[in-house]
Amino acid sequence: NIINNYGADSVRLFILSDSPPEKDIQWSEEGIIASFKFIQKLWSLHEKVLEEIGKDYEKDNGNDLTKFTNKFIKKISNNLENFNYNIIVANLHEMYSYLNKEIIKGYERKTILDNYGKILITMMPILPHLSNECFETVNTTTDKIIWPSYDEKQIKEETKVIVVQINGKKRGLINTKLDLEENDVLDLVKKD
């Protein structure tokens, strides 16, 4: 009944998000409904991606999408190897939030297809039906699917955001280089 009402991907997503594999699953109607709604959100995101592919900008507006995709592949790969399925579901939510905002910033058709294709492949172990449907609609063949590798150079960060707190209250954010000394950071805080 649950599969008929919500689909196999919703059930799979619920099972994986509920708890680590070594614990028993606590079935709840609310959990299945939440999984079903999240899959609907992913489908809406897919339609948004298709819209952006159709725009085919002449050049990319930065390479944030490629950086994120590489980080996402690394997270999913590591979590699959370590059987952290509930964390993978959290990674999917993070991907949804990021891609929903980032995709509208203007990317070439090729860049979107390349990165989105990799994201869809990493989603396949969790949401195979949705991923395959998305592949079909972007005219990507599913006969040569190879798990994507990530580029360590793309993952490496050159800057870091430091949260400034005074008396336990957040007062600002400072974007700095990674190798700054404490005194240099304090100078930046005082200037801000």
Side-chain angles (χ1 to χ4, degrees):
N1 263 352
I2 293 172
I3 291 174
N4 288 336
N5 292 333
Y6 300 106
D9 278 353
S10 297
V11 175
R12 184 179 287 107
L13 185 65
F14 170 72
I15 291 170
L16 295 176
S17 66
D18 184 54
S19 62
E22 64 273 4
K23 293 190 178 179
D24 290 336
I25 295 171
Q26 298 296 318
W27 285 99
S28 74
E29 189 77 20
E30 295 84 21
I32 300 268
I33 291 170
S35 295
F36 178 75
K37 286 181 179 178
F38 180 63
I39 290 174
Q40 299 309 308
K41 285 177 154 184
L42 288 174
W43 183 254
S44 296
L45 174 64
H46 173 69
E47 291 174 338
K48 194 177 199 178
V49 169
L50 289 177
E51 208 174 287
E52 291 300 313
I53 289 170
K55 292 179 183 176
D56 193 16
Y57 291 94
E58 288 184 22
K59 67 175 198 164
D60 292 336
N61 186 9
N63 81 344
D64 291 342
L65 180 60
T66 304
K67 277 186 149 188
F68 176 82
T69 301
N70 278 279
K71 289 177 186 176
F72 181 72
I73 294 167
K74 182 177 182 178
K75 287 178 187 177
I76 296 292
S77 299
N78 289 341
N79 288 327
L80 275 173
E81 288 174 18
N82 296 320
F83 301 102
N84 295 327
Y85 301 128
N86 56 336
I87 298 174
I88 291 172
V89 174
N91 296 145
L92 290 176
H93 283 272
E94 177 188 355
M95 177 275 300
Y96 168 79
S97 297
Y98 179 82
L99 202 55
N100 203 25
K101 294 174 189 167
E102 185 66 28
I103 200 69
I104 59 173
K105 292 185 178 176
Y107 288 95
E108 291 179 43
R109 181 180 200 278
K110 181 185 181 320
T111 303
I112 294 173
L113 286 173
D114 183 46
N115 287 290
Y116 189 55
K118 290 176 182 178
I119 289 170
L120 289 174
I121 291 170
T122 57
M123 287 172 50
M124 281 188 167
I126 313 304
L127 304 168
H129 302 289
L130 175 71
S131 300
N132 280 315
E133 188 70 28
C134 292
F135 263 105
E136 286 181 21
T137 57
V138 292
N139 295 326
T140 305
T141 59
T142 56
D143 59 337
K144 294 182 183 178
I145 295 177
I146 299 170
W147 191 262
S149 59
Y150 53 88
D151 183 2
E152 284 289 344
K153 293 175 192 169
Q154 292 284 346
I155 295 173
K156 187 176 179 186
E157 295 290 336
E158 296 174 12
T159 61
K160 185 163 189 115
V161 175
I162 297 176
V163 178
V164 179
Q165 283 188 331
I166 299 173
N167 294 331
K169 293 185 180 182
K170 179 180 163 189
R171 300 294 181 193
L173 299 171
I174 296 178
N175 202 353
T176 66
K177 295 179 182 176
L178 289 176
D179 57 351
L180 282 181
E181 296 291 325
E182 184 177 348
N183 292 334
D184 295 331
V185 174
L186 287 173
D187 290 340
L188 288 172
V189 170
K190 288 174 185 175
K191 287 178 186 174
D192 190 39

